[in-house]
Amino acid sequence: MSEPTTTTSPWPARVRTAGRWAARVVLALGGALIAVLLFARVSAPIGPFDATLAFRPASGGAEVAVPPLGSLAVDAYDGPLRLDISLQSVDQARAQALASDPVRLAGVVDRVTENLQSAVVRLVWVTVLWALAGAALTTWAVLRRRREPLIALGVTTAVLTATGAVGAATWRPEALSQPTYTGLLVNANSLIGNAQDIVTRFDAYRASLEDLVANVGTLYATLAALPSPTGTDDSVALLHISDIHLNPAGFDLVRQVVEKFDVDGVLDTGDLTDWGSEPENRLITSVGDLDVPYVYIRGNHDSATTASILAAQPNVTVLDDSNVSVAGIRIIGAPDPRFTPDKSTGDDESGEDVLVESGEELAEYAGTLAEQPAIALVHDPKQAPPLDGVAPLVLAGHTHERTVEKLSEDTLLMVQGSTGGAGLRGLQGEYPEPLTCTVLYLDPVTGTLLAYDEITLGGLGRTEVTVQRTIVTAEDPAVTDGAAVPPAEDGAMVAPSPAPAGDPVAPASPAG
């Protein structure tokens, strides 16, 4: 009788082999992922920003974090990894150099692109090296067989190659113009409009900056021909600015006027920033470098943090129902009671009552002083009416439109345009808004306004720089009740542009 034969099924061996390979793949990819998450990141300068880049598990695309404003995501490619870019800080030296040098400004887009491409290439190599190292070390630590790290390297290389191939095959450059915003950045589209349109306008705008720079020289040469605002040199010169909205060109204009006009102090009626955020606040400390007193009140776009950072700067005074004396001129001021970038506060929906109440509180404070103030600072002109008769001169901003009118026979209201050309929002219209500021000349004893120079730097299509002097006299006052101040016949001077003036600048848009 023959022995029964037994046959061994190949399935258990195949199962064991499949399980072994599955374990290898899991170990290799797990080790690679852990190493990438822990170590695979690079820091690099991107334009004026210091940024950190890394790949993270996600369904492809790229995300740019702008703390604390929020982030924007771009669905630019598919795959298991997302490119995360975090803008950590703004390098103040690079930002100022960029804004003050037309040559650098003209190449900013190319430079940012080169910086980003270089950083991403470096990140890819760093990520590949850490992924391979993590896969090999993890597999060796667990399986303890000599050939396992080599297998892990092969598996990880295959997966990385496939990931790169999928990303390249699904690359969608058109998605870059359609980002998705989160946080405060959800308002970006409504604030600055279509990004592609703005870039187009800015390309044209920056092409005129060289003419502007040349014309500034012409302007300062012309100043020598202007008559003294008082007939003598005995006056106090104060520079009124407002609504810079973080435009570096606005800061540069302030610095030049302070030096060239030899002013005794700067009066800022607010909206130095757009969001009052930490990244913005790192740029505003340059006002502390001015060698003259800087008096500031908070606008509706400035946060309490913005005000506190400014208060810590040399020569800066932040007024909040308080007063200060500059070259013997007594100045009072109150901030805008609203902070509109934070939509959760409901300040956008508040009526005029809150502004009028703010003006009334400042008027009550002025009544406690031993002497009448010469100047009152508010951000919104709607805060001004309660100050009629409280101070002979009230300065405001907010509207981005320069006006001068009489509240009564006793009080003059001067509203400044935007010293920063409304920031990025100034590029929304057909032409960027001009940059404006005003030098006030006051009697050093009485604080009476004697004259003022209105300085304007034209925008796109208008490369001229102008200064117009208005003499204020008791015999022939330059204002009429409720009307804008007409230019004075005597003492008015315009520094013309060598380039054609082109089309006129569009009227300033209302402030947000």
Side-chain angles (χ1 to χ4, degrees):
M1 189 172 180
S2 62
E3 295 284 337
T5 59
T6 59
T7 58
T8 302
S9 171
W11 288 107
R14 293 177 180 176
V15 170
R16 286 194 298 272
T17 301
R20 188 161 52 247
W21 275 100
R24 287 169 172 164
V25 171
V26 170
L27 283 173
L29 297 184
L33 181 59
I34 291 173
V36 168
L37 291 176
L38 292 178
F39 306 110
R41 63 176 59 88
V42 299
S43 297
I46 299 179
F49 298 98
D50 292 324
T52 299
L53 295 82
F55 285 114
R56 293 292 180 261
S59 57
E63 182 170 309
V64 181
V66 190
L69 298 181
S71 63
L72 59 92
V74 180
D75 186 22
Y77 64 90
D78 297 329
L81 295 177
R82 180 187 67 209
L83 173 62
D84 281 2
I85 303 173
S86 179
L87 303 182
Q88 303 294 334
S89 61
V90 177
D91 186 281
Q92 187 169 343
R94 293 203 304 269
Q96 289 179 340
L98 179 68
S100 60
D101 188 340
V103 176
R104 292 189 182 186
L105 186 61
V108 65
V109 176
D110 293 337
R111 186 170 297 107
V112 169
T113 301
E114 292 172 1
N115 292 157
L116 184 58
Q117 287 177 342
S118 176
V120 170
V121 169
R122 187 153 57 94
L123 175 63
V124 168
W125 283 111
V126 169
T127 301
V128 168
L129 292 176
W130 276 112
L132 294 175
L137 291 175
T138 301
T139 304
W140 168 254
V142 175
L143 299 180
R144 295 289 181 174
R145 287 195 287 268
R146 188 172 299 176
R147 68 172 184 167
E148 295 300 336
L150 297 177
I151 296 174
L153 290 175
V155 170
T156 305
T157 300
V159 172
L160 290 174
T161 301
T163 299
V166 170
T170 58
W171 171 243
R172 295 180 290 273
E174 67 277 3
L176 298 175
S177 63
Q178 298 174 334
T180 301
Y181 299 94
T182 60
L184 286 175
L185 291 180
V186 296
N187 300 300
N189 279 332
S190 62
L191 282 178
I192 64 175
N194 181 279
Q196 195 171 20
D197 290 344
I198 285 183
V199 169
T200 301
R201 292 190 184 100
F202 192 72
D203 284 340
Y205 181 41
R206 67 188 182 188
S208 68
L209 288 182
E210 291 185 8
D211 289 333
L212 281 173
V213 172
N215 293 340
V216 169
T218 304
L219 168 64
Y220 293 144
T222 305
L223 286 176
L226 286 173
S228 169
T230 61
T232 68
D233 293 330
D234 188 19
S235 65
V236 174
L238 300 177
L239 173 62
H240 178 206
I241 65 174
S242 192
D243 297 83
I244 288 183
H245 286 290
L246 213 69
N247 186 346
F251 290 108
D252 188 56
L253 172 62
V254 171
R255 187 177 302 106
Q256 292 187 57
V257 173
V258 165
E259 295 175 357
K260 301 297 183 179
F261 283 71
D262 193 25
V263 304
D264 298 291
V266 178
L267 310 180
D268 185 347
T269 48
D271 275 2
L272 199 59
T273 66
D274 261 333
W275 302 92
S277 65
E278 182 61 28
E280 292 178 297
N281 290 334
R282 294 171 186 166
L283 290 177
I284 64 177
T285 56
S286 61
V287 302
D289 298 333
L290 299 173
D291 293 328
V292 296
Y294 190 100
V295 183
Y296 161 86
I297 59 167
R298 185 168 52 81
N300 64 297
H301 281 268
D302 300 326
S303 67
T305 302
T306 301
S308 63
I309 289 176
L310 282 176
Q313 303 305 307
N315 302 323
V316 176
T317 300
V318 177
L319 296 183
D320 189 346
D321 285 335
S322 54
N323 78 97
V324 67
S325 178
V326 176
I329 305 298
R330 181 64 55 184
I331 303 163
I332 62 172
D336 193 308
R338 307 162 300 173
F339 180 57
T340 54
D342 185 354
K343 303 306 177 184
S344 65
T345 63
D347 285 345
D348 272 347
E349 308 300 327
S350 60
E352 295 185 18
D353 292 348
V354 67
L355 297 171
V356 174
E357 182 180 349
S358 171
E360 292 171 346
E361 291 174 355
L362 183 59
E364 291 176 5
Y365 168 76
T368 66
L369 300 178
E371 59 178 307
Q372 182 188 33
I375 301 175
L377 306 182
V378 293
H379 177 64
D380 194 310
K382 294 175 182 176
Q383 296 171 271
L387 297 168
D388 185 8
V390 174
L393 179 61
V394 179
L395 304 181
H398 183 67
T399 64
H400 298 177
E401 186 174 359
R402 176 190 272 155
T403 60
V404 182
E405 64 180 65
K406 293 183 70 175
L407 294 177
S408 69
E409 291 300 321
D410 299 320
T411 300
L412 184 69
L413 171 62
M414 302 184 73
V415 181
Q416 188 58 259
S418 174
T419 308
L424 277 180
R425 289 176 298 165
L427 299 176
Q428 279 184 296
E430 185 177 359
Y431 301 111
E433 295 187 18
L435 280 63
T436 69
C437 59
T438 303
V439 179
L440 310 170
Y441 301 95
L442 302 105
D443 186 289
V445 178
T446 65
T448 302
L449 180 65
L450 304 173
Y452 54 91
D453 290 339
E454 294 180 319
I455 303 170
T456 304
L457 272 70
L460 178 61
R462 215 181 144 90
T463 58
E464 64 186 4
V465 183
T466 66
V467 56
Q468 179 171 286
R469 175 162 294 172
T470 299
I471 306 296
V472 180
T473 63
E475 295 79 12
D476 184 19
V479 294
T480 56
D481 196 11
V485 176
E489 293 298 325
D490 296 326
M493 180 69 69
V494 175
S497 166
D503 295 327
V505 175
S509 60

